[in-house]
């Protein structure tokens, strides 16, 4: 920046007075906005929707089944299984207790109306079986209570109508009822309804916990970075206001435009706003402090700082927001809903950090940096940036060994990416808890003592007129253990199919696919759903979404980079580096998930969301580096421009990367495996990108390419004498022409 030639004319007293008033006016507007919108932010929980269909593919069969179940007599149902276990063997008193519990549950938590049959469970081969008038299989009894083959367990199935509310609302009371039982008898509630209830319980009050934890993490990091008793508070205050405004905006979007907001997207919203907002604050403070060394007037210094850092920050926010909006092309409802929610959060963070945060800095003046208050230096003297010497030494090493630095970085990233070749497979619904809840431990008891039951029930919804034909077709499918007719309505009928194999196993998925094919031949309007079908559809749709959204994200981000850097070569280089970085991050994370954390699978949506966040956020840091590099290259040539940018931005970008990684790491502390996996992957990937890709690989490749990095712009058609080719330099006098 040619600071000596770009000093604006000094303003009179009136201009200075206006300069003092504007920051206070901006702060006043923000105070008013927060006061007006705070109630909407507080009401975000009221518009959240965590129905099953909110997490399913919009066009999948299992989604159709979940929607049609609501139209059957009694509406939707939540299915539970209550299992009892005694190591010494079930007693007569134990069976009496189970039957008493069943009667109480039927009375207090009723299922659908009487024209529907309660869920039936295959009884196995441990005695004479009969089929009752209501469709139940029993072991020589009219009770729905079933005995295990080893005589150590009992179980019964129970459906609760959706009129009783969500499972999380009554599951604790339901479990409380089972405490009245003989000593030594274990009793656990499991089944799809219990798993859903335990998941909802994990999210209970999570917004407040997540906000508090994030604030603590960001506060500690800002204090360590700034080492100032006051300065750390300003970014925190500004980003807190941005988070509140974003929550209010998302509330209004959900209420007025039907944007789906669930617990996952709400959690990511908080993390994203705090992460990117703090990053923008760090960049603004770094540029502001730098300009204060050459400018006495704080208003003019802030103006110069915002003009310098603003384009990169806006491009950064635009990259992340545009990438998030690409999620609208996804078919998975939970993924597509995250797009507008996250984009709103990034936009609110951008607005707050370009308006409220600078205003707060201005009203407090230079002393906000105490004890290291920046002073105006004599003309021609450049102030040192904290830690700049270390980055100068790193730049000098990369410059001497740019080929080795680039090649070594790529080899290391490629080796780490080999972790993708292994992995524990797709995450099952019962394996998505970090700590084992009762629904999962109960499921383990069922599979251990009732192996003949096989997988979870599969629900088939068919036109009532075709019910019998569909039932017969289902019975003929290999891998099906039992088919039971369920509720019938005027239009649709319900059929329950029990597979022989374990839930989410390859064998059960083959049965699901064969069942769908058989049913479709008889009645194309019929649909096959249920928990296992939902997991299969989610995995299939996630793979489809990756093929559509990932290329779209790459194209959008490349276009934004091209517009910012006015080049083609540089955007392509940056995109390639973050893609390689993503592959390494997910490869390493896969190994950590399986061998260190002990997770039993990878969430199907993780690759897409991880790619989006790591590519968009990884490009952010490259934007900050390369935007400054282009600015310096216009003055000093590409080599000195890249080295100067690394020296000037190395410390602040590394600090920003650590803050962003730490905020996403907060997600890794949540007790749900999908959220923990996303938090760890993004945190690890951001650190990898910050410490290796942006610090070594990108500068090394840039130095190797020289001015060709800026092709086909005017800057790219000239080389400086310090480039590898040793051709003619860019005349400093052509700076203004090249800027245009």
């Amino acid at each position: 920046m040619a600071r000596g030639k770009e000093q604006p004319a000094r303003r009179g007293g009136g201009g200075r007075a206006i300069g003092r008033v504007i920051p206070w006016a901006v702060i006043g507007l923000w105070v008013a906005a927060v006061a007006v919108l705070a109630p909407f932010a507080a009401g975000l929980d009221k518009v959240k929707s965590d129905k099953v269909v909110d997490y399913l593919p919009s066009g999948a069969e299992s989604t159709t089944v979940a929607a049609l179940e609501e139209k059957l007599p009694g509406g939707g149902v939540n299915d539970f299984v209550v299992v009892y276990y005694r190591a010494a063997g079930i007693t007569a008193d134990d069976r009496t207790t189970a039957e008493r519990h069943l009667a109480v549950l039927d009375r207090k938590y009723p299922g659908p109306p009487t024209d529907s049959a309660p869920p039936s469970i295959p009884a196995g081969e441990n005695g004479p079986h009969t089929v009752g008038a209501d469709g139940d299989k029993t072991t020589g009894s009219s009770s729905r209570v079933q005995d295990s083959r080893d005589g150590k367990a009992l179980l019964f199935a129970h459906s609760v109508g959706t009129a009783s509310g969500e499972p999380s609302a009554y599951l604790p009371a339901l479990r409380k009822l089972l405490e009245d039982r003989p000593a030594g008898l274990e009793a656990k509630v499991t089944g799809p309804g219990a798993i859903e209830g335990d998941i909802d319980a994990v999210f209970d009050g999570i917004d407040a916990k997540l906000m508090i934890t994030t604030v603590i993490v960001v506060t500690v990091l800002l204090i360590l970075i700034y080492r100032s008793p006051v300065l750390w508070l300003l970014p925190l205050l500004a980003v807190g206001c941005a988070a509140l405004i974003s929550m209010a905006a998302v509330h209004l979007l959900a209420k007025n435009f039907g944007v789906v907001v669930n617990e996952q997207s709400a959690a990511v919203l908080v993390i994203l706003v705090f992460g990117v907002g703090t990053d923008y604050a760090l960049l603004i403070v770094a540029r502001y402090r730098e300009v204060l060394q050459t400018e006495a007037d704080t208003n003019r210094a802030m103006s110069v700082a915002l003009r310098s850092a603003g384009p990169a920050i806006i491009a950064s926010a635009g990259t992340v927001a545009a990438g998030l909006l690409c999620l609208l092309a996804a078919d998975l409802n939970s993924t597509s809903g995250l797009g507008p929610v996250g984009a709103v959060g990034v936009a609110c963070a951008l607005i707050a950090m370009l308006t409220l945060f600078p205003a707060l800095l201005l009203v407090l003046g230079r002393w906000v940096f105490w004890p290291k208050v920046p002073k105006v230096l004599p003309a021609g003297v450049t102030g040192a940036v904290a830690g700049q010497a270390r980055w100068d030494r790193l730049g000098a090493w990369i410059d001497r060994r740019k080929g080795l630095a680039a090649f070594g970085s790529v080899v290391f990233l490629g080796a780490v990416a080999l972790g993708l070749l292994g992995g524990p497979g797709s995450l099952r619904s019962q394996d998505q808890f970090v700590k084992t809840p009762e629904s999962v431990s109960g499921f383990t008891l069922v599979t251990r003592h009732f192996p003949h039951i096989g997988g979870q029930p599969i629900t088939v919804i068919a036109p009532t007129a075709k019910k019998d034909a569909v039932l017969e077709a289902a019975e003929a499918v290999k891998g099906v253990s039992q088919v039971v007719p369920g509720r019938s309505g005027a239009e649709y009928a319900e059929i329950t199919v029990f597979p022989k194999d374990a839930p989410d196993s390859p064998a059960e998925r083959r049965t699901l696919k064969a069942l769908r094919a058989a049913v479709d031949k008889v009645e194309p309007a019929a649909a096959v759903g249920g928990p296992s079908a939902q997991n299969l559809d989610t995995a299939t749709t996630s793979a489809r979404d990756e093929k559509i959204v990932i290329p779209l994200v790459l194209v959008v981000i490349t276009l934004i980079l091209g517009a910012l850097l006015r080049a083609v070569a540089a955007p392509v280089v940056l995109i390639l580096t973050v893609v390689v970085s993503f592959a390494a991050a997910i490869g390493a994370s896969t190994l950590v998930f399986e061998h260190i954390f002990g997770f039993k699978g990878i969430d199907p949506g993780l690759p897409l969301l991880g790619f989006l966040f790591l590519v968009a956020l990884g490009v952010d840091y490259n934007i900050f580096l390369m935007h400054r590099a282009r600015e310096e290259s216009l003055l000093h040539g590409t080599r000195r421009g890249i080295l100067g940018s690394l020296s000037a931005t190395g410390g602040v970008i590394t600090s920003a990367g650590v803050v962003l990684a730490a905020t996403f790491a907060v997600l890794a502390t949540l007790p749900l495996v999908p959220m923990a996996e996303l938090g760890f992957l993004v945190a690890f990937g951001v650190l990898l990108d910050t410490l290796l890709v942006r610090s070594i690989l990108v500068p090394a490749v840039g130095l190797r390419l020289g001015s060709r990095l800026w092709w086909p712009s005017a800057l790219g058609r000239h080389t400086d004498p310090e480039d590898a080719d040793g051709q003619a330099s860019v005349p400093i006098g052509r700076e203004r022409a090249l800027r245009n």
Side-chain angles (χ1 to χ4, degrees):
M1 187 189 318
R3 299 185 183 92
K5 297 182 180 180
E6 296 183 2
Q7 293 285 349
R10 293 190 176 273
R11 295 170 294 174
R16 287 193 295 271
I18 293 174
R20 289 193 296 268
V21 169
I22 290 178
W24 285 107
V26 171
I27 294 173
L29 289 174
W30 269 94
V31 170
V34 168
V36 170
L37 295 176
F40 295 98
L44 180 60
D45 280 341
K46 297 179 180 178
V47 298
K48 289 180 184 176
S49 178
D50 280 286
K51 298 178 182 178
V52 172
V53 295
D54 295 329
Y55 292 89
L56 296 177
S58 58
E61 277 193 50
S62 57
T63 310
T64 302
V65 168
L68 289 177
E69 280 184 307
E70 299 288 339
K71 299 181 180 181
L72 293 173
V77 295
N78 291 301
D79 295 322
F80 299 87
V81 173
V82 180
V83 59
Y84 301 84
Y85 170 73
R86 184 184 291 274
I90 293 295
T91 66
D93 192 22
D94 295 339
R95 169 172 279 281
T96 300
T97 299
E99 291 177 344
R100 175 169 53 84
H101 286 163
L102 175 57
V104 173
L105 293 178
D106 280 340
R107 184 176 68 255
K108 288 194 172 184
Y109 301 100
T114 55
D115 63 343
S116 61
S120 174
I121 296 179
E125 301 173 357
N126 60 332
H129 302 147
T130 61
V131 179
D134 61 355
D136 289 336
K137 260 195 176 181
T138 67
T139 56
S141 167
S142 61
S143 171
R144 300 206 308 269
V145 178
Q146 304 294 332
D147 298 275
S148 66
R149 293 173 177 174
D150 59 12
K152 296 182 179 182
L154 299 169
L155 67 74
F156 63 80
H158 180 69
S159 292
V160 180
T162 52
S164 297
E166 295 297 322
S168 57
Y170 56 81
L171 185 57
L174 189 154
R175 285 172 171 158
K176 183 74 174 177
L177 290 173
L178 304 181
E179 293 180 1
D180 180 16
R181 62 181 186 268
L185 179 66
E186 293 184 35
K188 298 182 183 295
V189 182
T190 184
I195 291 176
E196 181 183 342
D198 284 338
I199 291 176
D200 290 344
V202 168
F203 282 109
D204 186 30
I206 201 171
D207 287 348
K209 297 175 185 176
L210 195 64
M211 179 73 78
I212 292 171
T213 305
T214 304
V215 169
I216 292 173
V217 168
V218 173
T219 298
V220 171
L221 290 174
L222 287 174
I223 291 175
L224 292 175
I225 291 170
Y226 287 137
R227 301 176 185 177
S228 167
V230 178
L231 183 57
W232 65 270
L233 183 59
L234 301 190
L236 198 63
L237 180 60
V239 81
C241 290
L244 186 145
I245 296 298
S246 66
M247 293 167 68
V250 169
H251 178 180
L252 294 173
L253 281 177
K255 189 173 183 179
N256 298 300
F257 297 96
V259 174
V260 176
V261 183
N262 54 34
E263 295 289 356
Q264 181 190 50
S265 59
V268 171
L269 173 68
V270 172
I271 294 297
L272 195 59
V273 171
F274 270 85
V276 301
T278 305
D279 279 4
Y280 301 157
L282 291 171
L283 291 165
I284 291 171
V285 167
R287 266 301 174 95
Y288 181 48
R289 187 198 295 268
E290 182 181 336
V291 179
L292 284 174
Q293 295 178 339
T294 60
E295 175 57 65
D297 187 281
T298 55
N299 287 310
R300 286 200 293 270
M302 180 59 73
S303 177
V304 173
L306 290 179
R307 287 201 306 270
S308 301
I313 292 175
I314 293 172
S316 167
T319 299
V320 179
L324 283 163
L325 290 176
C326 290
L327 292 178
L328 289 171
D331 189 50
L332 196 64
N333 290 333
S334 56
T335 300
S336 61
L338 178 60
V341 171
V344 166
V346 172
C348 290
L350 174 68
I351 295 170
M353 306 324 287
L354 290 183
T355 58
L356 176 60
F357 181 58
L360 292 172
L361 287 172
L362 287 174
V363 298
L364 293 179
R366 287 176 180 264
W367 73 268
V368 74
F369 291 96
W370 187 87
K372 296 182 179 180
V373 180
K375 298 179 180 179
V376 179
L377 301 175
V381 177
T382 302
V385 177
Q388 185 170 332
R390 292 192 296 271
W391 292 100
D392 287 341
R393 289 193 294 270
L394 177 62
W397 180 86
I398 296 173
D399 190 31
R400 291 193 303 271
R401 299 174 175 85
K402 43 186 166 284
L404 175 63
F407 179 75
S409 299
V410 172
V411 169
F412 172 79
L413 293 171
V416 176
L418 292 177
L420 286 169
L421 299 178
S426 185
L427 190 69
R428 303 181 302 173
S429 58
Q430 64 265 30
D431 294 329
Q432 57 187 317
F433 299 92
V434 174
K435 295 181 179 179
T436 305
E438 182 177 318
S439 58
V440 174
S441 59
F443 181 84
T444 302
L445 282 177
V446 172
T447 56
R448 182 185 305 157
H449 298 283
F450 297 87
H452 57 280
I453 289 178
Q456 303 180 87
I458 299 171
T459 302
V460 180
I461 300 293
T464 303
K466 292 283 189 175
K467 175 181 178 180
D468 293 338
V470 171
L471 191 148
E472 291 179 5
E475 287 179 329
V477 173
K478 183 181 179 181
V480 169
S481 172
Q482 184 185 23
V483 181
V484 180
R487 294 175 290 169
S488 291
E491 296 183 62
Y492 295 100
E494 180 183 58
I495 299 170
T496 302
V497 178
F498 290 92
K500 295 178 181 178
D501 301 292
D504 298 317
S505 63
E508 189 207 37
R509 292 196 168 185
R510 286 194 295 270
T511 300
L512 267 169
K513 294 175 181 178
L515 177 62
R516 282 178 165 171
V519 167
D520 186 64
K521 287 181 180 179
V522 176
E523 177 49 61
V528 177
S532 292
Q534 292 167 3
N535 294 339
L536 174 61
D537 289 340
T538 298
T540 302
T541 303
S542 295
R544 171 263 179 199
D545 287 346
E546 290 172 17
K547 296 177 182 177
I548 294 177
V549 177
I550 287 178
L552 184 60
V553 169
L554 291 176
V555 170
V556 169
I557 293 179
T558 302
L559 291 176
I560 293 175
L561 287 174
L564 175 71
L565 300 177
R566 305 177 194 179
V568 172
V572 171
V573 168
L574 297 183
I575 286 292
L576 289 176
T577 60
V578 293
V579 168
V580 173
S581 176
F582 164 74
I586 197 168
S589 297
T590 298
L591 295 175
V592 171
F593 295 157
E594 183 177 11
H595 300 292
I596 297 179
F597 293 167
F599 295 160
K600 297 180 180 179
I602 303 295
D603 181 61
L606 181 67
L608 176 56
L609 292 182
F611 178 86
L612 170 66
F613 285 119
L614 286 181
V615 170
L617 296 173
V619 165
D620 271 7
Y621 299 122
N622 286 329
I623 285 176
F624 301 145
L625 173 72
M626 297 306 291
H627 180 263
R628 182 64 178 261
R630 186 179 190 280
E631 180 181 319
E632 297 291 337
S633 296
L634 289 167
L635 296 172
H636 309 298
T638 298
R639 176 181 172 275
R640 289 176 59 191
I642 291 175
L643 295 177
S645 176
L646 179 63
S647 176
T649 65
V652 64
I653 295 180
T654 300
S655 298
V658 170
V659 170
L660 186 63
T663 54
F664 268 93
V666 173
L667 289 178
T669 65
L670 299 181
L672 275 182
V673 171
M675 300 299 287
E677 288 181 341
L678 178 63
F680 179 87
L681 171 61
V682 176
F684 178 82
V686 166
L687 288 178
L688 184 66
D689 193 81
T690 302
L691 301 177
L692 177 61
V693 176
R694 191 269 314 160
S695 299
I696 298 177
L697 178 57
V698 171
V701 174
L703 290 169
R704 190 67 182 174
L705 291 176
S707 58
R708 289 170 295 187
L709 184 67
W710 311 111
W711 181 88
S713 67
L715 183 58
R717 294 194 293 270
H718 300 269
T719 56
D720 61 71
E722 297 173 317
D723 282 348
D725 295 349
Q727 298 177 14
S729 65
V730 178
I732 300 299
R734 298 203 49 193
E735 170 197 348
R736 190 173 304 277
L738 290 178
R739 284 183 184 274
N740 296 326

